[in-house]
Amino acid sequence: MQASPMPPEPLAPDAAGCRGESLGHRPRSALVVEPDPAQAELIAAVLREQGCLSAQVATAEAAIADFDRRRPDILFIAADLPGMDGLAATREIKRLAAGRFLPIMLLAHKRDEALLLSSVESGADDFLLKPLEPGLIKARIMVMERVCELQHRVSERKRTIAAMLENERVEQALAERVLSRAVEERNVVMDRLDLLQRSAAIFSGDIVLTQHLPDGGLRLLVGDFTGHGLAAAVAALPIADAFHAMTVKGVSDISLLTELNRKLFQLLPTDRFMAAILVTVPASCTELRWWNGGMPSGWLRTANGLRELTAHALPLGILPDLPCDEVARRVHVRRGDRLLLMTDGLLEAHDTQDEMFVHAGLRQSLASWAPGMPLLPTLREALDAHLAGTEQADDIAIVDLPIEPSIFARRVRLSGQRPRVGWDVAIVLEDERLKSQPTLETLLDPLGLAEGLRKEMVTLETIFTELYSNALEHGVLKLDSSLKATSEGFATFYRERARRLDDLRGARVSVEIRFEPSGEGGCVWLRIWDSGEGFSEESVRALWSDPARPWGRGIPLARELCDTLEFQGNGSQVEATYRW
Amino acid sequence: MGVTARSDAEKSQVIISVDGRFDFSQHKAFREAYKDASGKSTKFVVDLSDASYLDSSALGMLLLLREFVGADPKRVRITGANEDVARVLKIANFDKLFTVG
């Protein structure tokens, strides 16, 4: 054995701090693939000196066949081998090592530069030139020890990071579950609306909240926090709390929005906010109130066309207070209409050509929307086609809501075991509200109060309509009934009625209805008073003597039906009772 | 791509131009563009002529600039927005907080 220029010890690399760790990762077993026993023994001797066991085989085939059993830490292989050559064997053995770091030293003859290059390409980590010298072999083994050590540390670190990431992911998924349950658990009628929600991160910055109002009507909020992920999601909890608590109490749209805005302004930093669209559908199912602060337009599909609910306000959480003139907008709806709300993740979803969905599929989908039909399936299909081959960049939420009785809270049915106790209801209608005439049914039914009056409803309805019309037409609008004496005048009367209704400022009709049950029957007491100046009861009384007049019949009719009917306050207030 | 700031000392005005996507990656550069100016007197023009896209974090950055100038809507003007960018500004109703156009 030649004298080695290297000291026999230490074996570990000198790199700072790794000596202690490195001892465990030094090659322990080697495989030498060399047909010349003398050369093979030379390597084995150096390995022994380094404390490394070695086995020797003469062919690549034998090395491959034995590889799994031996699992060597380092491999020496001759370039020239009978049968499969060293390069092909290197390739195969690297494949068998399957990602485990296994240094392979190719043993080659001098001056074969092309071979040396292709040895590196085939996966060999280093080479030794023949004839072999023990000193060089030892030096190369030590270099390989260092590489092994580095490799080991890298893969340890990779494993640690992967484990931490996995742990993080599991914990986030758990937190998300808890949070989204807390946010969503109080939602109502989620089975009645079509919903698509896709998150870019584990946590979504989009929220959908639904709750019933005391009258059974439905309130819906779709919100989009700036950004996504945990930071966006945590603020959702207090927002959901306030939304549910205030809606159940019947707090108005603007009061709710004011509170949400105040909360978000306190919670979020300056550059964070929540865009939101709030929609309330009262149980009468005749109108829809909406407020849009920084969300993409909502779309209402009615039998007559498409109505856009454009953003008219700032997102919530930017200014300390909502502007004091903020109001919810109103739009007429009918059963069978549908409402579509979305977050901007949908508009801005980019396809592989970097085109946004708002310019691609959205318009066409809206244009193809048939009245009474859900649009979400069409939209989902168009979106999937649009997003094919891309990664989702932002949270997407789409809500498709049918305007139909099944979205409202089921009313408490009073029939059967209805409580035999009375009630008292008062309502004040002003200006705009006076344009459509209420009926007893629409006033009382949402509260479940019409039930007890059902048998007498036709009569009660007549009394109510006559007295209400009188208060409106003569008290508030100051119309002269005698106009109706001619058919031309009749038309003039109603034209004038419509014109004056359009012009109302500060006009008011108040209604109070009280019910007292008694045995199987009961008594309804009705009071209607208006903001007008009144009229003389004398003139009213004078009218009912002529049965042939085509006008002025309302009050006499009501008087016929009622048990008592009395005008007060110069005719601007009337009280009636009806018993059965 | 990026944010450049030009200072017009005469008009005591800083013109911040955003090129390419105006999103969170511009956060630092956008902040750099105004942080050394005097928040009390300088006017800012945010030129979005070359901005291809603007997301909600960019809206957040504009809100930070607004805070920097003490929420005076006349002190920050946003100009040159293309159709996509203008749509985002319009949906957010930022014309209520800034001079847009």
mmCIF file with all atom_site columns, all heavy atoms in Angstrom, chain A residues 270-271 294-295 311-315 319 347-348 359, chain B residues 53 56 60 63 66-67 84 87-88 91-93 96:
data_model
loop_
_atom_site.group_PDB
_atom_site.id
_atom_site.type_symbol
_atom_site.label_atom_id
_atom_site.label_alt_id
_atom_site.label_comp_id
_atom_site.label_asym_id
_atom_site.label_entity_id
_atom_site.label_seq_id
_atom_site.pdbx_PDB_ins_code
_atom_site.Cartn_x
_atom_site.Cartn_y
_atom_site.Cartn_z
_atom_site.occupancy
_atom_site.B_iso_or_equiv
_atom_site.pdbx_formal_charge
_atom_site.auth_seq_id
_atom_site.auth_comp_id
_atom_site.auth_asym_id
_atom_site.auth_atom_id
_atom_site.pdbx_PDB_model_num
ATOM 1   N N   . THR A 1 270 ? -56.151 50.679 7.408   1.00 0.00 ? 270 THR A N   1
ATOM 2   C CA  . THR A 1 270 ? -56.592 51.615 6.366   1.00 0.00 ? 270 THR A CA  1
ATOM 3   C C   . THR A 1 270 ? -56.749 50.978 4.986   1.00 0.00 ? 270 THR A C   1
ATOM 4   O O   . THR A 1 270 ? -57.693 51.285 4.264   1.00 0.00 ? 270 THR A O   1
ATOM 5   C CB  . THR A 1 270 ? -55.579 52.767 6.249   1.00 0.00 ? 270 THR A CB  1
ATOM 6   O OG1 . THR A 1 270 ? -55.424 53.332 7.535   1.00 0.00 ? 270 THR A OG1 1
ATOM 7   C CG2 . THR A 1 270 ? -56.058 53.823 5.276   1.00 0.00 ? 270 THR A CG2 1
ATOM 8   N N   . ASP A 1 271 ? -55.825 50.116 4.613   1.00 0.00 ? 271 ASP A N   1
ATOM 9   C CA  . ASP A 1 271 ? -55.862 49.609 3.240   1.00 0.00 ? 271 ASP A CA  1
ATOM 10  C C   . ASP A 1 271 ? -56.744 48.374 3.084   1.00 0.00 ? 271 ASP A C   1
ATOM 11  O O   . ASP A 1 271 ? -56.735 47.742 2.045   1.00 0.00 ? 271 ASP A O   1
ATOM 12  C CB  . ASP A 1 271 ? -54.446 49.332 2.728   1.00 0.00 ? 271 ASP A CB  1
ATOM 13  C CG  . ASP A 1 271 ? -53.740 48.302 3.575   1.00 0.00 ? 271 ASP A CG  1
ATOM 14  O OD1 . ASP A 1 271 ? -54.175 48.070 4.714   1.00 0.00 ? 271 ASP A OD1 1
ATOM 15  O OD2 . ASP A 1 271 ? -52.744 47.722 3.103   1.00 0.00 ? 271 ASP A OD2 1
ATOM 16  N N   . GLY A 1 294 ? -69.437 48.926 -3.626  1.00 0.00 ? 294 GLY A N   1
ATOM 17  C CA  . GLY A 1 294 ? -68.181 48.447 -4.195  1.00 0.00 ? 294 GLY A CA  1
ATOM 18  C C   . GLY A 1 294 ? -68.183 47.026 -4.732  1.00 0.00 ? 294 GLY A C   1
ATOM 19  O O   . GLY A 1 294 ? -67.126 46.462 -4.993  1.00 0.00 ? 294 GLY A O   1
ATOM 20  N N   . MET A 1 295 ? -69.379 46.463 -4.902  1.00 0.00 ? 295 MET A N   1
ATOM 21  C CA  . MET A 1 295 ? -69.432 45.110 -5.483  1.00 0.00 ? 295 MET A CA  1
ATOM 22  C C   . MET A 1 295 ? -69.784 45.218 -6.964  1.00 0.00 ? 295 MET A C   1
ATOM 23  O O   . MET A 1 295 ? -70.402 46.193 -7.397  1.00 0.00 ? 295 MET A O   1
ATOM 24  C CB  . MET A 1 295 ? -70.499 44.275 -4.781  1.00 0.00 ? 295 MET A CB  1
ATOM 25  C CG  . MET A 1 295 ? -70.121 43.857 -3.383  1.00 0.00 ? 295 MET A CG  1
ATOM 26  S SD  . MET A 1 295 ? -68.989 42.454 -3.392  1.00 0.00 ? 295 MET A SD  1
ATOM 27  C CE  . MET A 1 295 ? -70.123 41.121 -3.674  1.00 0.00 ? 295 MET A CE  1
ATOM 28  N N   . ALA A 1 311 ? -73.158 49.379 -8.341  1.00 0.00 ? 311 ALA A N   1
ATOM 29  C CA  . ALA A 1 311 ? -72.562 49.892 -7.098  1.00 0.00 ? 311 ALA A CA  1
ATOM 30  C C   . ALA A 1 311 ? -72.761 51.395 -7.026  1.00 0.00 ? 311 ALA A C   1
ATOM 31  O O   . ALA A 1 311 ? -72.430 52.115 -7.948  1.00 0.00 ? 311 ALA A O   1
ATOM 32  C CB  . ALA A 1 311 ? -71.069 49.570 -7.074  1.00 0.00 ? 311 ALA A CB  1
ATOM 33  N N   . HIS A 1 312 ? -73.342 51.870 -5.910  1.00 0.00 ? 312 HIS A N   1
ATOM 34  C CA  . HIS A 1 312 ? -73.584 53.304 -5.780  1.00 0.00 ? 312 HIS A CA  1
ATOM 35  C C   . HIS A 1 312 ? -72.915 53.856 -4.539  1.00 0.00 ? 312 HIS A C   1
ATOM 36  O O   . HIS A 1 312 ? -72.981 55.041 -4.265  1.00 0.00 ? 312 HIS A O   1
ATOM 37  C CB  . HIS A 1 312 ? -75.091 53.586 -5.737  1.00 0.00 ? 312 HIS A CB  1
ATOM 38  C CG  . HIS A 1 312 ? -75.806 52.796 -4.676  1.00 0.00 ? 312 HIS A CG  1
ATOM 39  N ND1 . HIS A 1 312 ? -75.924 53.220 -3.399  1.00 0.00 ? 312 HIS A ND1 1
ATOM 40  C CD2 . HIS A 1 312 ? -76.396 51.574 -4.724  1.00 0.00 ? 312 HIS A CD2 1
ATOM 41  C CE1 . HIS A 1 312 ? -76.583 52.313 -2.678  1.00 0.00 ? 312 HIS A CE1 1
ATOM 42  N NE2 . HIS A 1 312 ? -76.868 51.300 -3.460  1.00 0.00 ? 312 HIS A NE2 1
ATOM 43  N N   . ALA A 1 313 ? -72.263 52.997 -3.778  1.00 0.00 ? 313 ALA A N   1
ATOM 44  C CA  . ALA A 1 313 ? -71.669 53.457 -2.520  1.00 0.00 ? 313 ALA A CA  1
ATOM 45  C C   . ALA A 1 313 ? -70.263 52.891 -2.363  1.00 0.00 ? 313 ALA A C   1
ATOM 46  O O   . ALA A 1 313 ? -69.867 51.972 -3.069  1.00 0.00 ? 313 ALA A O   1
ATOM 47  C CB  . ALA A 1 313 ? -72.545 53.013 -1.356  1.00 0.00 ? 313 ALA A CB  1
ATOM 48  N N   . LEU A 1 314 ? -69.536 53.463 -1.432  1.00 0.00 ? 314 LEU A N   1
ATOM 49  C CA  . LEU A 1 314 ? -68.195 52.979 -1.115  1.00 0.00 ? 314 LEU A CA  1
ATOM 50  C C   . LEU A 1 314 ? -68.284 51.639 -0.398  1.00 0.00 ? 314 LEU A C   1
ATOM 51  O O   . LEU A 1 314 ? -69.283 51.358 0.256   1.00 0.00 ? 314 LEU A O   1
ATOM 52  C CB  . LEU A 1 314 ? -67.510 53.961 -0.169  1.00 0.00 ? 314 LEU A CB  1
ATOM 53  C CG  . LEU A 1 314 ? -66.932 55.226 -0.775  1.00 0.00 ? 314 LEU A CG  1
ATOM 54  C CD1 . LEU A 1 314 ? -66.571 56.191 0.344   1.00 0.00 ? 314 LEU A CD1 1
ATOM 55  C CD2 . LEU A 1 314 ? -65.697 54.902 -1.592  1.00 0.00 ? 314 LEU A CD2 1
ATOM 56  N N   . PRO A 1 315 ? -67.236 50.837 -0.499  1.00 0.00 ? 315 PRO A N   1
ATOM 57  C CA  . PRO A 1 315 ? -67.196 49.620 0.314   1.00 0.00 ? 315 PRO A CA  1
ATOM 58  C C   . PRO A 1 315 ? -67.252 49.981 1.806   1.00 0.00 ? 315 PRO A C   1
ATOM 59  O O   . PRO A 1 315 ? -67.018 51.136 2.181   1.00 0.00 ? 315 PRO A O   1
ATOM 60  C CB  . PRO A 1 315 ? -65.839 49.013 -0.039  1.00 0.00 ? 315 PRO A CB  1
ATOM 61  C CG  . PRO A 1 315 ? -65.495 49.572 -1.369  1.00 0.00 ? 315 PRO A CG  1
ATOM 62  C CD  . PRO A 1 315 ? -66.077 50.948 -1.394  1.00 0.00 ? 315 PRO A CD  1
ATOM 63  N N   . LEU A 1 319 ? -64.663 54.655 5.462   1.00 0.00 ? 319 LEU A N   1
ATOM 64  C CA  . LEU A 1 319 ? -64.958 55.887 6.186   1.00 0.00 ? 319 LEU A CA  1
ATOM 65  C C   . LEU A 1 319 ? -65.531 55.534 7.563   1.00 0.00 ? 319 LEU A C   1
ATOM 66  O O   . LEU A 1 319 ? -66.167 54.496 7.717   1.00 0.00 ? 319 LEU A O   1
ATOM 67  C CB  . LEU A 1 319 ? -65.976 56.731 5.409   1.00 0.00 ? 319 LEU A CB  1
ATOM 68  C CG  . LEU A 1 319 ? -65.509 57.218 4.032   1.00 0.00 ? 319 LEU A CG  1
ATOM 69  C CD1 . LEU A 1 319 ? -66.624 57.978 3.340   1.00 0.00 ? 319 LEU A CD1 1
ATOM 70  C CD2 . LEU A 1 319 ? -64.275 58.086 4.158   1.00 0.00 ? 319 LEU A CD2 1
ATOM 71  N N   . LEU A 1 347 ? -65.573 38.373 -12.267 1.00 0.00 ? 347 LEU A N   1
ATOM 72  C CA  . LEU A 1 347 ? -65.337 39.296 -13.372 1.00 0.00 ? 347 LEU A CA  1
ATOM 73  C C   . LEU A 1 347 ? -63.890 39.227 -13.842 1.00 0.00 ? 347 LEU A C   1
ATOM 74  O O   . LEU A 1 347 ? -63.590 39.308 -15.021 1.00 0.00 ? 347 LEU A O   1
ATOM 75  C CB  . LEU A 1 347 ? -65.619 40.742 -12.922 1.00 0.00 ? 347 LEU A CB  1
ATOM 76  C CG  . LEU A 1 347 ? -67.027 41.259 -13.103 1.00 0.00 ? 347 LEU A CG  1
ATOM 77  C CD1 . LEU A 1 347 ? -68.037 40.379 -12.423 1.00 0.00 ? 347 LEU A CD1 1
ATOM 78  C CD2 . LEU A 1 347 ? -67.146 42.682 -12.584 1.00 0.00 ? 347 LEU A CD2 1
ATOM 79  N N   . GLU A 1 348 ? -62.980 39.089 -12.870 1.00 0.00 ? 348 GLU A N   1
ATOM 80  C CA  . GLU A 1 348 ? -61.562 39.231 -13.187 1.00 0.00 ? 348 GLU A CA  1
ATOM 81  C C   . GLU A 1 348 ? -60.854 37.907 -13.402 1.00 0.00 ? 348 GLU A C   1
ATOM 82  O O   . GLU A 1 348 ? -59.637 37.888 -13.554 1.00 0.00 ? 348 GLU A O   1
ATOM 83  C CB  . GLU A 1 348 ? -60.883 40.038 -12.077 1.00 0.00 ? 348 GLU A CB  1
ATOM 84  C CG  . GLU A 1 348 ? -61.344 41.479 -12.122 1.00 0.00 ? 348 GLU A CG  1
ATOM 85  C CD  . GLU A 1 348 ? -60.864 42.295 -10.931 1.00 0.00 ? 348 GLU A CD  1
ATOM 86  O OE1 . GLU A 1 348 ? -60.062 41.783 -10.160 1.00 0.00 ? 348 GLU A OE1 1
ATOM 87  O OE2 . GLU A 1 348 ? -61.322 43.438 -10.812 1.00 0.00 ? 348 GLU A OE2 1
ATOM 88  N N   . HIS A 1 359 ? -65.100 40.226 -19.888 1.00 0.00 ? 359 HIS A N   1
ATOM 89  C CA  . HIS A 1 359 ? -65.088 40.511 -21.322 1.00 0.00 ? 359 HIS A CA  1
ATOM 90  C C   . HIS A 1 359 ? -65.397 39.272 -22.152 1.00 0.00 ? 359 HIS A C   1
ATOM 91  O O   . HIS A 1 359 ? -65.587 39.354 -23.356 1.00 0.00 ? 359 HIS A O   1
ATOM 92  C CB  . HIS A 1 359 ? -63.720 41.030 -21.755 1.00 0.00 ? 359 HIS A CB  1
ATOM 93  C CG  . HIS A 1 359 ? -63.325 42.288 -21.056 1.00 0.00 ? 359 HIS A CG  1
ATOM 94  N ND1 . HIS A 1 359 ? -64.164 43.362 -20.950 1.00 0.00 ? 359 HIS A ND1 1
ATOM 95  C CD2 . HIS A 1 359 ? -62.193 42.631 -20.394 1.00 0.00 ? 359 HIS A CD2 1
ATOM 96  C CE1 . HIS A 1 359 ? -63.559 44.323 -20.268 1.00 0.00 ? 359 HIS A CE1 1
ATOM 97  N NE2 . HIS A 1 359 ? -62.368 43.897 -19.909 1.00 0.00 ? 359 HIS A NE2 1
ATOM 98  N N   . TYR B 2 53  ? -54.008 46.776 -15.102 1.00 0.00 ? 53  TYR B N   1
ATOM 99  C CA  . TYR B 2 53  ? -54.892 46.041 -14.204 1.00 0.00 ? 53  TYR B CA  1
ATOM 100 C C   . TYR B 2 53  ? -54.733 46.626 -12.822 1.00 0.00 ? 53  TYR B C   1
ATOM 101 O O   . TYR B 2 53  ? -53.671 47.112 -12.464 1.00 0.00 ? 53  TYR B O   1
ATOM 102 C CB  . TYR B 2 53  ? -54.470 44.577 -14.228 1.00 0.00 ? 53  TYR B CB  1
ATOM 103 C CG  . TYR B 2 53  ? -55.128 43.708 -13.198 1.00 0.00 ? 53  TYR B CG  1
ATOM 104 C CD1 . TYR B 2 53  ? -56.389 43.188 -13.423 1.00 0.00 ? 53  TYR B CD1 1
ATOM 105 C CD2 . TYR B 2 53  ? -54.470 43.404 -12.010 1.00 0.00 ? 53  TYR B CD2 1
ATOM 106 C CE1 . TYR B 2 53  ? -56.994 42.387 -12.475 1.00 0.00 ? 53  TYR B CE1 1
ATOM 107 C CE2 . TYR B 2 53  ? -55.070 42.604 -11.059 1.00 0.00 ? 53  TYR B CE2 1
ATOM 108 C CZ  . TYR B 2 53  ? -56.323 42.096 -11.292 1.00 0.00 ? 53  TYR B CZ  1
ATOM 109 O OH  . TYR B 2 53  ? -56.927 41.297 -10.360 1.00 0.00 ? 53  TYR B OH  1
ATOM 110 N N   . SER B 2 56  ? -57.768 44.835 -5.624  1.00 0.00 ? 56  SER B N   1
ATOM 111 C CA  . SER B 2 56  ? -58.238 45.487 -4.401  1.00 0.00 ? 56  SER B CA  1
ATOM 112 C C   . SER B 2 56  ? -57.076 45.891 -3.500  1.00 0.00 ? 56  SER B C   1
ATOM 113 O O   . SER B 2 56  ? -57.216 46.827 -2.726  1.00 0.00 ? 56  SER B O   1
ATOM 114 C CB  . SER B 2 56  ? -59.212 44.569 -3.663  1.00 0.00 ? 56  SER B CB  1
ATOM 115 O OG  . SER B 2 56  ? -58.576 43.377 -3.313  1.00 0.00 ? 56  SER B OG  1
ATOM 116 N N   . GLY B 2 60  ? -56.399 49.487 -1.799  1.00 0.00 ? 60  GLY B N   1
ATOM 117 C CA  . GLY B 2 60  ? -55.912 49.682 -0.435  1.00 0.00 ? 60  GLY B CA  1
ATOM 118 C C   . GLY B 2 60  ? -54.733 50.659 -0.407  1.00 0.00 ? 60  GLY B C   1
ATOM 119 O O   . GLY B 2 60  ? -54.657 51.533 0.453   1.00 0.00 ? 60  GLY B O   1
ATOM 120 N N   . LEU B 2 63  ? -55.890 54.070 -0.715  1.00 0.00 ? 63  LEU B N   1
ATOM 121 C CA  . LEU B 2 63  ? -56.470 54.530 0.559   1.00 0.00 ? 63  LEU B CA  1
ATOM 122 C C   . LEU B 2 63  ? -55.373 54.969 1.532   1.00 0.00 ? 63  LEU B C   1
ATOM 123 O O   . LEU B 2 63  ? -55.560 55.911 2.307   1.00 0.00 ? 63  LEU B O   1
ATOM 124 C CB  . LEU B 2 63  ? -57.317 53.420 1.190   1.00 0.00 ? 63  LEU B CB  1
ATOM 125 C CG  . LEU B 2 63  ? -58.619 53.086 0.465   1.00 0.00 ? 63  LEU B CG  1
ATOM 126 C CD1 . LEU B 2 63  ? -59.290 51.880 1.099   1.00 0.00 ? 63  LEU B CD1 1
ATOM 127 C CD2 . LEU B 2 63  ? -59.574 54.270 0.479   1.00 0.00 ? 63  LEU B CD2 1
ATOM 128 N N   . ARG B 2 66  ? -54.361 58.288 0.467   1.00 0.00 ? 66  ARG B N   1
ATOM 129 C CA  . ARG B 2 66  ? -55.401 59.224 0.891   1.00 0.00 ? 66  ARG B CA  1
ATOM 130 C C   . ARG B 2 66  ? -55.217 59.592 2.367   1.00 0.00 ? 66  ARG B C   1
ATOM 131 O O   . ARG B 2 66  ? -55.332 60.747 2.769   1.00 0.00 ? 66  ARG B O   1
ATOM 132 C CB  . ARG B 2 66  ? -56.773 58.579 0.674   1.00 0.00 ? 66  ARG B CB  1
ATOM 133 C CG  . ARG B 2 66  ? -57.939 59.381 1.184   1.00 0.00 ? 66  ARG B CG  1
ATOM 134 C CD  . ARG B 2 66  ? -59.256 58.695 0.845   1.00 0.00 ? 66  ARG B CD  1
ATOM 135 N NE  . ARG B 2 66  ? -60.365 59.387 1.459   1.00 0.00 ? 66  ARG B NE  1
ATOM 136 C CZ  . ARG B 2 66  ? -60.785 59.152 2.692   1.00 0.00 ? 66  ARG B CZ  1
ATOM 137 N NH1 . ARG B 2 66  ? -60.200 58.236 3.434   1.00 0.00 ? 66  ARG B NH1 1
ATOM 138 N NH2 . ARG B 2 66  ? -61.806 59.836 3.176   1.00 0.00 ? 66  ARG B NH2 1
ATOM 139 N N   . GLU B 2 67  ? -54.901 58.578 3.169   1.00 0.00 ? 67  GLU B N   1
ATOM 140 C CA  . GLU B 2 67  ? -54.668 58.827 4.586   1.00 0.00 ? 67  GLU B CA  1
ATOM 141 C C   . GLU B 2 67  ? -53.456 59.741 4.780   1.00 0.00 ? 67  GLU B C   1
ATOM 142 O O   . GLU B 2 67  ? -53.462 60.643 5.606   1.00 0.00 ? 67  GLU B O   1
ATOM 143 C CB  . GLU B 2 67  ? -54.437 57.492 5.298   1.00 0.00 ? 67  GLU B CB  1
ATOM 144 C CG  . GLU B 2 67  ? -54.287 57.611 6.790   1.00 0.00 ? 67  GLU B CG  1
ATOM 145 C CD  . GLU B 2 67  ? -54.008 56.246 7.436   1.00 0.00 ? 67  GLU B CD  1
ATOM 146 O OE1 . GLU B 2 67  ? -53.050 55.560 7.024   1.00 0.00 ? 67  GLU B OE1 1
ATOM 147 O OE2 . GLU B 2 67  ? -54.761 55.874 8.334   1.00 0.00 ? 67  GLU B OE2 1
ATOM 148 N N   . ASP B 2 84  ? -60.605 48.632 -18.009 1.00 0.00 ? 84  ASP B N   1
ATOM 149 C CA  . ASP B 2 84  ? -60.654 47.657 -16.906 1.00 0.00 ? 84  ASP B CA  1
ATOM 150 C C   . ASP B 2 84  ? -60.367 48.318 -15.567 1.00 0.00 ? 84  ASP B C   1
ATOM 151 O O   . ASP B 2 84  ? -61.011 48.033 -14.561 1.00 0.00 ? 84  ASP B O   1
ATOM 152 C CB  . ASP B 2 84  ? -59.629 46.534 -17.146 1.00 0.00 ? 84  ASP B CB  1
ATOM 153 C CG  . ASP B 2 84  ? -60.098 45.577 -18.230 1.00 0.00 ? 84  ASP B CG  1
ATOM 154 O OD1 . ASP B 2 84  ? -61.328 45.437 -18.390 1.00 0.00 ? 84  ASP B OD1 1
ATOM 155 O OD2 . ASP B 2 84  ? -59.235 44.999 -18.917 1.00 0.00 ? 84  ASP B OD2 1
ATOM 156 N N   . ARG B 2 87  ? -63.213 50.521 -14.484 1.00 0.00 ? 87  ARG B N   1
ATOM 157 C CA  . ARG B 2 87  ? -64.343 49.740 -13.994 1.00 0.00 ? 87  ARG B CA  1
ATOM 158 C C   . ARG B 2 87  ? -64.175 49.429 -12.505 1.00 0.00 ? 87  ARG B C   1
ATOM 159 O O   . ARG B 2 87  ? -65.097 49.569 -11.713 1.00 0.00 ? 87  ARG B O   1
ATOM 160 C CB  . ARG B 2 87  ? -64.468 48.440 -14.794 1.00 0.00 ? 87  ARG B CB  1
ATOM 161 C CG  . ARG B 2 87  ? -65.645 47.576 -14.395 1.00 0.00 ? 87  ARG B CG  1
ATOM 162 C CD  . ARG B 2 87  ? -65.790 46.372 -15.321 1.00 0.00 ? 87  ARG B CD  1
ATOM 163 N NE  . ARG B 2 87  ? -64.540 45.653 -15.471 1.00 0.00 ? 87  ARG B NE  1
ATOM 164 C CZ  . ARG B 2 87  ? -64.021 44.852 -14.550 1.00 0.00 ? 87  ARG B CZ  1
ATOM 165 N NH1 . ARG B 2 87  ? -64.665 44.652 -13.433 1.00 0.00 ? 87  ARG B NH1 1
ATOM 166 N NH2 . ARG B 2 87  ? -62.873 44.247 -14.746 1.00 0.00 ? 87  ARG B NH2 1
ATOM 167 N N   . VAL B 2 88  ? -62.950 49.015 -12.143 1.00 0.00 ? 88  VAL B N   1
ATOM 168 C CA  . VAL B 2 88  ? -62.694 48.685 -10.737 1.00 0.00 ? 88  VAL B CA  1
ATOM 169 C C   . VAL B 2 88  ? -62.860 49.928 -9.857  1.00 0.00 ? 88  VAL B C   1
ATOM 170 O O   . VAL B 2 88  ? -63.481 49.887 -8.799  1.00 0.00 ? 88  VAL B O   1
ATOM 171 C CB  . VAL B 2 88  ? -61.284 48.079 -10.566 1.00 0.00 ? 88  VAL B CB  1
ATOM 172 C CG1 . VAL B 2 88  ? -60.990 47.848 -9.095  1.00 0.00 ? 88  VAL B CG1 1
ATOM 173 C CG2 . VAL B 2 88  ? -61.179 46.772 -11.341 1.00 0.00 ? 88  VAL B CG2 1
ATOM 174 N N   . ILE B 2 91  ? -66.649 50.688 -9.633  1.00 0.00 ? 91  ILE B N   1
ATOM 175 C CA  . ILE B 2 91  ? -67.372 49.771 -8.750  1.00 0.00 ? 91  ILE B CA  1
ATOM 176 C C   . ILE B 2 91  ? -67.108 50.132 -7.295  1.00 0.00 ? 91  ILE B C   1
ATOM 177 O O   . ILE B 2 91  ? -68.001 50.135 -6.465  1.00 0.00 ? 91  ILE B O   1
ATOM 178 C CB  . ILE B 2 91  ? -66.959 48.298 -9.032  1.00 0.00 ? 91  ILE B CB  1
ATOM 179 C CG1 . ILE B 2 91  ? -67.542 47.831 -10.361 1.00 0.00 ? 91  ILE B CG1 1
ATOM 180 C CG2 . ILE B 2 91  ? -67.426 47.382 -7.897  1.00 0.00 ? 91  ILE B CG2 1
ATOM 181 C CD1 . ILE B 2 91  ? -67.109 46.438 -10.772 1.00 0.00 ? 91  ILE B CD1 1
ATOM 182 N N   . ALA B 2 92  ? -65.853 50.484 -7.003  1.00 0.00 ? 92  ALA B N   1
ATOM 183 C CA  . ALA B 2 92  ? -65.502 50.823 -5.618  1.00 0.00 ? 92  ALA B CA  1
ATOM 184 C C   . ALA B 2 92  ? -65.973 52.225 -5.240  1.00 0.00 ? 92  ALA B C   1
ATOM 185 O O   . ALA B 2 92  ? -65.836 52.638 -4.099  1.00 0.00 ? 92  ALA B O   1
ATOM 186 C CB  . ALA B 2 92  ? -63.997 50.710 -5.422  1.00 0.00 ? 92  ALA B CB  1
ATOM 187 N N   . ASN B 2 93  ? -66.529 52.958 -6.213  1.00 0.00 ? 93  ASN B N   1
ATOM 188 C CA  . ASN B 2 93  ? -66.991 54.332 -5.978  1.00 0.00 ? 93  ASN B CA  1
ATOM 189 C C   . ASN B 2 93  ? -65.886 55.240 -5.434  1.00 0.00 ? 93  ASN B C   1
ATOM 190 O O   . ASN B 2 93  ? -66.130 56.082 -4.574  1.00 0.00 ? 93  ASN B O   1
ATOM 191 C CB  . ASN B 2 93  ? -68.202 54.330 -5.034  1.00 0.00 ? 93  ASN B CB  1
ATOM 192 C CG  . ASN B 2 93  ? -69.472 53.973 -5.782  1.00 0.00 ? 93  ASN B CG  1
ATOM 193 O OD1 . ASN B 2 93  ? -70.052 54.804 -6.482  1.00 0.00 ? 93  ASN B OD1 1
ATOM 194 N ND2 . ASN B 2 93  ? -69.879 52.715 -5.695  1.00 0.00 ? 93  ASN B ND2 1
ATOM 195 N N   . LYS B 2 96  ? -65.727 59.111 -4.906  1.00 0.00 ? 96  LYS B N   1
ATOM 196 C CA  . LYS B 2 96  ? -66.191 59.811 -3.710  1.00 0.00 ? 96  LYS B CA  1
ATOM 197 C C   . LYS B 2 96  ? -65.037 60.159 -2.771  1.00 0.00 ? 96  LYS B C   1
ATOM 198 O O   . LYS B 2 96  ? -65.217 60.900 -1.812  1.00 0.00 ? 96  LYS B O   1
ATOM 199 C CB  . LYS B 2 96  ? -67.208 58.947 -2.960  1.00 0.00 ? 96  LYS B CB  1
ATOM 200 C CG  . LYS B 2 96  ? -68.434 58.662 -3.795  1.00 0.00 ? 96  LYS B CG  1
ATOM 201 C CD  . LYS B 2 96  ? -69.521 57.942 -3.047  1.00 0.00 ? 96  LYS B CD  1
ATOM 202 C CE  . LYS B 2 96  ? -70.644 57.676 -4.031  1.00 0.00 ? 96  LYS B CE  1
ATOM 203 N NZ  . LYS B 2 96  ? -71.853 57.189 -3.422  1.00 0.00 ? 96  LYS B NZ  1
#
